[in-house]
Every structure is written in C-alpha cells, then in structure tokens.
Amino acid sequence: MQATIDGIRMHWREAGHGPRVVVFVHAFPLDGLMWEDQLRRLPRRWRLLAPDLRGFGMTRAGDSQEPLTMERFADDLALWLEHLGTDRVTLCGLSMGGYVAFAFWRRYRERVSALVLCDTRAGADSEEGREARRTLAARVRAEGAQVAAEALIPRLLAQGTRRGRPELEQRLRAMIESQPAESIARAAEGMALREDSTPLLREIDVPVLVVVGGEDAIATVEEASRMRDAIPDARLVEIAGAAHLPNLEQPAAFDTALVHFLEAIE
Ligand code: MLT
C-alpha cells in the first residue's frame, strides 16, 4: 500500500481488520518487511500496519540531506495515521522503532492507546556511542550499505540463530543491503541526536509491554527491566533464544507475548 504524505511516497504493509490498530515500527537499518511473520500469523481481528520509515524500504527519503531524526519519523507517522483516518493506535517499536515510539509519545500521546517497546532503550547515546554512529555513517557513505550489514549482523542475531537459521541471516543481510546508503547514514546521525526519554517513562499512562531477547547485547535485559520498573503499568517478557530481533528469531514466542498483551488490554 502507498500514499503521498507530506510530499513523499510512503509505503506500508497491512493485514487484518478491526477497531484496534497496531502499528509496527521497524529497527535500523531495516524496513517494514521485518514484521512479515507477525502480519502473516497474528489474528485478523486487529488491523496490523507495518510502515517503511522515511528513506527505508519503498518509502522515499525526500530531498533533504539532514539527519533523519526520531521526531521526523514520528511526524511522518502522525500524518500517515491521519491520512488513514485512525483514532488511537497501539504502537509497537523495535529498537530504533522504540526510539520513534518515544518521540511519538512525546508529541502525540493522545493518539496512543498502548505501547510495545521491544529491544529498545530509553536513554540517549553516550559521546562514545555518537562517535561510533558518525563513523558508521561516514563508512556507509563511502563504501555502501554492506558495511552496515557486516558491522551489525553479529549483534542483531543470537549465536544459536546464526548457527541454526542461516536463511534468516541471509534475509537480514539482503534487507540491510537493499537500503539506500544515504538513508542508513542519515538515520545513524538522527539516532545520535535523540533525546533522553528516561524522564518520560514515569509519565506513560497507557499499558506497556516491554519485550527483550534474552541474549540482546544492544538493549539488554537489565535495561528492559529498568524500563518496566519505571513505567507505571508495564510488564516484561524475555524471549529465550533471541538477541536483538526476537520477532524474527523466535516469532512464536514473540507473537504469543503480543497476543496475550493485546487480549489483556482489550
Ligand atoms: C536498531 O536495531 O534499531 C539499532 O540497533 C538501534 C541502535 O543502533 O541504537
């Protein structure tokens, strides 16, 4: 599906129907395709939407060379949801998708009925983290998207996933290498600029599910536990046998956690 939103062509995948709308926001540097298992397997009584964020997948980046900030992505989502005529949505963001969910909450909280925060972090980057993003952006601009695939894949998937499901690693590599190098660089710069969302956590007054892969080294179980403790109405599910991408690595366990949460808040 696609529509022109704020002058750019925005693309999304969609499944199911129903008053509850769940918006799946993808990780860096992936696109809405990372949610295809969920769109195929989750109950059809919910409307499931998986957009490609600006610059990724089949959504165009626009002409600017500015960093792709989390606020920019959140504004795009808000305009797109207006275009779709949705009211309040459950926002499910993984990693960078979670940073976008925090930015969306900061700006449009009245439009959020629940949050699912997967393998993400509330804090901003350290200076060292920012420097690493600037280095990645420069290398990707100079050498292409495969640099990002090489750098990131060992941290995205658990050892067991890499050993047991080489086809998933190939899918992931293909997804990363299909993204425009400039979008990867601009989003890396945008993540480096993101605000600290930690003070926001205690203000979140909708039900929250925090999901984390038990072997995630990027957004750890400890960080997920701290988020759960800080958010008034939050529960935590740890997915065994997964690192940073539990919805792809352990889709059955991920889907079960999501379905239980959505049913509990219905
Ligand atoms: C992601 O999966 O979106 C990235 O790991 C986020 C990050 O680099 O902080």
Side-chain angles (χ1 to χ4, degrees), residues 11 42 50 52 54 62 69 73 81 93 122 137 145 156 164 176 203 231 239 241-242 244 246:
H11 174 267
L42 288 171
D52 292 340
R54 180 184 286 256
T69 62
F73 289 139
L81 289 170
L156 295 179
I176 296 176
E203 296 169 15
I231 300 170
I239 309 277
H244 196 53

Side-chain angles (χ1 to χ4, degrees), residues 19-62:
R20 179 171 288 280
V21 179
V22 185
V23 177
F24 293 93
V25 190
H26 64 78
F28 168 86
L30 305 177
D31 61 39
L33 191 58
M34 69 167 272
W35 299 109
E36 67 177 338
D37 288 345
Q38 282 64 49
L39 265 57
R40 203 175 50 242
R41 297 156 50 114
L42 288 171
R44 303 275 136 182
R45 64 179 182 280
W46 299 313
R47 188 176 183 194
L48 311 169
L49 302 168
D52 292 340
L53 295 173
R54 180 184 286 256
F56 291 89
M58 286 182 267
T59 296
R60 300 278 69 85

Side-chain angles (χ1 to χ4, degrees), residues 89-222:
V89 302
T90 295
L91 208 50
C92 171
L94 193 145
S95 199
M96 182 178 80
Y99 309 157
V100 176
F102 286 129
F104 193 91
W105 175 265
R106 200 174 277 114
R107 290 181 174 216
Y108 308 105
R109 64 184 65 186
E110 68 289 350
R111 297 167 66 175
V112 180
S113 57
L115 284 170
V116 183
L117 301 170
C118 314
D119 300 82
T120 196
R121 296 176 288 196
D125 283 348
S126 61
E127 194 38 57
E128 193 188 4
R130 290 194 189 101
E131 189 50 41
R133 295 205 195 275
R134 285 191 282 266
T135 304
L136 179 71
R139 286 196 60 208
V140 168
R141 282 196 172 99
E143 299 167 51
Q146 67 279 6
V147 168
E150 285 310 320
L152 299 174
I153 285 177
R155 305 186 75 209
L156 295 179
L157 299 177
Q159 283 300 331
T161 310
R162 295 190 79 189
R163 268 197 310 274
R165 296 185 57 200
E167 82 294 345
L168 177 58
E169 181 167 336
Q170 275 166 20
R171 260 169 70 199
L172 200 57
R173 185 177 300 278
M175 210 188 303
I176 296 176
E177 291 183 355
S178 71
Q179 311 304 334
E182 186 59 22
S183 298
I184 297 176
R186 289 174 62 199
E189 291 164 348
M191 285 191 289
L193 295 173
R194 76 186 191 284
E195 276 182 48
D196 180 9
S197 294
T198 313
L200 218 60
L201 297 177
R202 76 179 85 88
E203 296 169 15
I204 297 179
D205 58 359
V206 296
V208 176
L209 171 65
V210 180
V211 180
V212 65
E215 298 171 41
D216 194 347
I218 300 175
T220 61
V221 173
E222 289 68 33

